[in-house]
Amino acid sequence: MKRPARTMTEAAQAYSFSRRAFVLGAGQAGIGLLLAGRMAWLSIAQNEKYQLLSESNRVNTTLIPPRRGWIIDRNGLPIANNRTDFRVDIIPERLENKDAVLARLQQILRLPPEDMERLRLDLKDAKGLKPVQVAERLDWERFAAVSVRLPELPGVQPTRGFARYYPAGAAVAHLTGYVGVPTAEQYKETREPLLVTPGFKLGKDGLEKTLEKRLRGIPGAKRVEVTARGKLVAELATRPDIPGHNTRLTIDAGLQEYVARRLGTNSGSAVVMDCLTGEMLAMVSMPAYNPNSFSDGISHLEWKMLSDDDHIPLMNKVTQGLYPPGSTVKPMNGLALLHAGVPASERVFCSGAMRVGTGVFHCHKRGGHGPVDLKRAIEQSCDIYFYEMIRRMGYDRIAPVARMMGLGQKFDLPLATQRYGTVPDSEWKQRKYKTKWTVADGLNASIGQGYVLANPLQLAVMAARLASGRALQPSLLAADVHRNAPFLSLDQDHFRIVREAMFGVVNGGGTGGAARMYVPGVSLAAKTGTAQVRRITMAERRAGVLKNGQLPFRLRDHALLVCFAPADNPRYAAGIVLEHNGHTVRNLDTPMIGRDIMTYLFDRERALKSLAEVEPTWGGNIETRMAFQEAAYRAVNAPMPATKTDAVIPTDAPAVEAAAAAADREAETRATQTTGNTVAEASIPEGDE
């Protein structure tokens, strides 16, 4: 049905118009209020934000790298400090006639072609007022030559800053580590502007890395007023940097350098401790790299030379090296036997060999020692005594005391890497290998071979605890010394018996006679050790065991020593490990090194005089030998790219990982031997002193 047309009256039209006008007006009012609110938000609530953005457009800020805090020794002497660094940068925005300026700089600074190529690449990617480094660590003459020619070098900016410096060089490399330029990955992680500031370096390894937050400091800022297009208008007030905190160590810088020199041409390490407090007075791993060179970024050739060296200078052997401790554990094993109820006077007859099942376990003295008690067994390092006693008692009675004395223990120290070694027992073997502990396992462990592994720091702690009878904790930071250590839960009279035996090792015709000190009133107590790295077959033993001097370096025995002095009132203790030393050179062997290190602590002049007599026979001091080695390496190796590298830190280097893996494989192979054809000691006759 068709609806009739609706008639629109004048009143209806007026009402419809008024309603649309109201809606439109309300919408306009709403938009107006929204705009007004937004303007109020921007001008009031966001005022500070946009004021800062405006200021940043007007003022350009360049960060000034902070001076790092010094690392100082126990006496306040610098181990790592800052020295004046003369550097030259280019401000890309101010650079005019680039080719002419670069040519002039190359002439004045005597820059090699590879540095010029690097500089051109950096300038290509740079812009604005961010400096581009031309050269650093310049001598005064070249720095002054640039400074007086600034009118003809627009955009060039000579700067006097500070650079890290290690006065003792390689002697402290594995202690302090070094500083270097942050990597791109480090910047991506934090997006911290300081990390891309020319001249800034952070800790890459060692204490420099673990103490980075404390040592870094707060950067300063150089402010300049610029136009919207970045043109310089005026220089504003500079905000100075706030230096990092100085850090005092327990280390004695003089002793640290002496120990490094006294290790000579060895691949080895030494740790010296205070028997009263547990403070570490020296922590040395040699050979080492020069941290001053690493801080600049070393060449590919130098990195390859260090990586190829079979003495592994990139490894911190104190904490990364693991070794069979050999006979150095015999005093500790004796302590465990006394604790287990074995009388010190009980004797065992040593004929030179002992058959267990189908295997024969030999003493280092082929003809045997005859009847020996505990004291004589330690003095003469009789293997058969410890074989027999631990065959009776079981090594599970020894392992708890070994852990109590520091073996297998992790220490709370500001060190980036620590390998903890192994103190085996029946439970450990069942867990790791799913097999039962055997008598042969216990016999090998009784002379510090088999599954037993320790690092030099643990051996030094063992020596200090034997000397003091206390649960000393090693410390490196002077602010974190663990004083008043409690006595160990062992009979203190047992410690006296063991200390007397260690006195006899050196002063009573024992295996360490060469360690006898010549300081009036001071005697040294010690225990020598030899750790085998190869298997000696029965055929070789029948024909005559090859001497270390007849073997390649990597097949020679390790030489070890733990010691303390004075023997009657111990104050200092040390642990020394020489890789593949083989007791082949007398004045480079552990007894005389231990003697001289302890002599330094009681009579410095005598120790320095002794070193001055023998050091020239090793090819000179550390710096001289390193320079000769580098020159010889360069002479026989093809030139490599002269660009610098700092992508891999020493303790993580492939060469270090390969050496650690090889040592682990050797230890695994030795540990599975059950024939007892091992060497735990090589006697050093007293007449050879």
Side-chain angles (χ1 to χ4, degrees):
M1 185 176 69
K2 187 176 180 181
R3 291 184 179 181
R6 185 177 178 183
T7 303
M8 179 65 69
T9 65
E10 185 176 346
Q13 287 180 332
Y15 174 77
S16 177
F17 176 78
S18 298
R19 186 175 60 182
R20 288 196 298 269
F22 175 78
V23 172
L24 181 60
Q28 289 175 333
I31 292 172
L33 287 173
L34 185 63
L35 291 173
R38 177 62 176 167
M39 291 175 65
W41 170 261
L42 293 174
S43 61
I44 299 174
Q46 297 287 293
N47 177 271
E48 184 178 357
K49 173 184 175 181
Y50 288 100
Q51 188 175 8
L52 290 174
L53 288 174
S54 175
E55 181 71 6
S56 67
N57 287 333
R58 184 182 71 86
V59 177
N60 189 291
T61 301
T62 301
L63 292 178
I64 299 173
R67 287 163 287 175
R68 290 180 73 81
W70 287 23
I71 299 176
I72 57 178
D73 85 334
R74 63 190 299 109
N75 302 309
L77 297 176
I79 293 177
N81 59 10
N82 304 312
R83 63 179 181 181
T84 302
D85 175 33
F86 297 115
R87 57 182 291 124
V88 172
D89 298 319
I90 288 178
I91 309 300
E93 178 64 31
R94 303 177 191 172
L95 183 60
E96 300 174 7
N97 197 354
K98 182 175 72 173
D99 292 338
V101 169
L102 293 183
R104 190 70 171 145
L105 282 175
Q106 183 177 20
Q107 179 185 7
I108 297 171
L109 299 176
R110 301 187 292 278
L111 299 175
E114 56 270 15
D115 281 2
M116 295 303 299
E117 182 63 25
R118 188 266 309 162
L119 179 56
R120 288 189 177 91
L121 291 173
D122 289 348
L123 285 172
K124 182 178 179 182
D125 297 331
K127 54 185 175 181
L129 295 170
K130 180 181 176 181
V132 172
Q133 177 183 308
V134 177
E136 63 179 346
R137 293 186 186 268
L138 295 171
D139 54 59
W140 169 251
E141 287 74 16
R142 287 187 291 169
F143 180 78
V146 171
S147 299
V148 299
R149 292 174 173 82
L150 284 182
E152 57 190 86
L153 297 170
V156 174
Q157 177 178 280
T159 305
R160 179 181 298 186
F162 296 91
R164 203 58 159 171
Y165 179 63
Y166 307 92
V172 299
H174 291 294
L175 171 67
T176 62
Y178 66 101
V179 296
V181 177
T183 63
E185 289 73 20
Q186 288 173 317
Y187 174 71
K188 289 176 183 177
E189 287 178 6
T190 62
R191 295 292 177 180
E192 189 176 353
L194 181 61
L195 299 188
V196 291
T197 300
F200 173 72
K201 294 179 179 179
L202 50 68
K204 292 280 191 171
D205 206 358
L207 293 177
E208 292 280 23
K209 179 179 180 180
T210 57
L211 302 177
E212 172 65 25
K213 290 183 178 179
R214 177 177 178 81
L215 295 171
R216 179 182 295 190
I218 300 174
K222 182 177 181 180
R223 302 167 67 242
V224 293
E225 186 176 0
V226 295
T227 67
R229 295 181 177 273
K231 296 296 183 181
L232 177 65
V233 175
E235 293 190 1
L236 306 178
T238 297
R239 185 185 73 211
D241 67 297
I242 300 176
H245 296 285
N246 292 345
T247 299
R248 185 184 294 269
L249 305 182
T250 61
I251 296 293
D252 182 320
L255 177 65
Q256 177 82 12
E257 187 169 1
Y258 180 84
V259 173
R261 292 174 61 191
R262 187 59 187 86
L263 289 176
T265 57
N266 280 300
S267 172
S269 54
V271 177
V272 183
M273 293 180 60
D274 188 318
C275 291
L276 302 182
T277 63
E279 294 170 284
M280 295 170 65
L281 305 179
M283 190 194 90
V284 178
S285 175
M286 294 300 289
Y289 57 88
N290 186 344
N292 295 306
S293 296
F294 264 67
S295 293
D296 292 339
I298 65 169
S299 68
H300 287 278
L301 182 70
E302 188 175 354
W303 177 261
K304 188 174 187 303
M305 177 187 72
L306 293 169
S307 298
D308 291 346
D309 193 331
D310 62 0
H311 284 35
I312 322 297
L314 296 173
M315 174 184 278
N316 181 0
K317 300 177 181 69
V318 171
T319 56
Q320 290 183 289
L322 290 178
Y323 311 92
S327 290
T328 61
V329 299
K330 287 176 179 174
M332 179 193 70
N333 290 350
L335 191 67
L337 291 173
L338 292 170
H339 182 65
V342 175
S345 59
E346 185 169 347
R347 294 186 175 187
V348 168
F349 185 82
C350 172
S351 63
M354 185 176 82
R355 181 172 292 278
V356 177
T358 59
V360 178
F361 288 77
H362 296 270
C363 187
H364 72 89
K365 186 174 182 180
R366 191 166 186 172
H369 293 96
V372 291
D373 59 10
L374 176 63
K375 183 173 181 292
R376 179 168 166 77
I378 292 174
E379 289 177 351
Q380 298 300 321
S381 201
C382 177
D383 298 331
I384 300 299
Y385 176 90
F386 290 96
Y387 288 153
E388 175 58 26
M389 285 299 180
I390 289 171
R391 184 186 65 81
R392 297 179 193 174
M393 306 299 297
Y395 194 76
D396 281 3
R397 304 288 292 273
I398 306 297
V401 175
R403 298 187 185 102
M404 188 185 303
M405 299 304 292
L407 298 194
Q409 189 172 345
K410 176 182 179 180
F411 303 111
D412 183 18
L413 294 169
L415 300 172
T417 54
Q418 285 189 65
R419 300 179 73 208
Y420 312 119
T422 305
V423 177
D425 57 19
S426 56
E427 181 183 347
W428 171 87
K429 188 179 181 186
Q430 184 65 42
R431 185 173 63 250
K432 183 174 176 65
Y433 295 105
K434 305 294 187 284
T435 57
K436 291 184 178 181
W437 186 265
T438 66
V439 173
D441 292 332
L443 269 57
N444 281 329
S446 74
I447 59 169
Q449 298 275 179
Y451 294 111
V452 184
L453 291 173
N455 66 39
L457 173 59
Q458 292 167 341
L459 294 180
V461 170
M462 179 182 73
R465 291 181 180 180
L466 284 170
S468 66
R470 294 178 180 269
L472 293 170
Q473 294 293 325
S475 56
L476 264 177
L477 302 181
D480 295 328
V481 177
H482 310 282
R483 302 182 186 277
N484 302 315
F487 284 102
L488 291 161
S489 57
L490 297 169
D491 190 329
Q492 291 298 309
D493 192 55
H494 294 168
F495 281 98
R496 177 190 59 78
I497 295 170
V498 169
R499 286 195 285 265
E500 289 178 355
M502 293 178 72
F503 172 85
V505 169
V506 178
N507 306 283
T511 58
R516 184 179 295 117
M517 291 180 65
Y518 298 104
V519 178
V522 180
S523 297
L524 181 73
K527 184 67 193 80
T528 54
T530 302
Q532 182 184 314
V533 299
R534 69 187 184 97
R535 179 177 181 178
I536 301 175
T537 64
M538 290 299 294
E540 181 182 343
R541 191 173 290 278
R542 285 192 295 269
V545 177
L546 294 174
K547 295 187 179 299
N548 280 284
Q550 300 171 281
L551 297 170
F553 172 75
R554 300 299 299 181
L555 294 181
R556 296 175 185 172
D557 299 332
H558 300 318
L560 307 95
L561 181 82
V562 293
C563 61
F564 54 83
D568 55 350
N569 186 22
R571 177 61 197 278
Y572 305 110
I576 303 168
V577 178
L578 305 179
E579 292 183 336
H580 310 292
N581 170 274
H583 308 291
T584 52
V585 180
R586 192 167 175 279
N587 64 21
L588 286 172
D589 201 358
T590 50
M592 296 186 72
I593 291 175
R595 178 200 70 184
D596 288 353
I597 289 173
M598 286 297 166
T599 298
Y600 181 93
L601 290 163
F602 295 98
D603 189 340
R604 184 172 303 187
E605 294 304 316
R606 182 190 293 268
L608 290 171
K609 181 180 178 181
S610 174
L611 177 60
E613 292 173 354
V614 296
E615 196 171 40
T617 67
W618 306 331
N621 61 22
I622 296 171
E623 292 76 17
T624 301
R625 295 198 306 272
M626 289 178 69
F628 178 82
Q629 181 184 14
E630 183 174 351
Y633 190 85
R634 288 182 182 276
V636 298
N637 285 273
M640 299 184 67
T643 53
K644 297 181 178 181
T645 177
D646 62 354
V648 181
I649 63 173
T651 51
D652 290 340
V656 174
E657 294 179 356
D664 289 344
R665 289 193 298 271
E666 290 171 1
E668 190 83 8
T669 301
R670 288 193 306 270
T672 56
Q673 294 175 200
T674 59
T675 58
N677 293 321
T678 58
V679 175
E681 183 61 86
S683 292
I684 303 168
E686 196 169 344
D688 289 346
E689 293 182 56

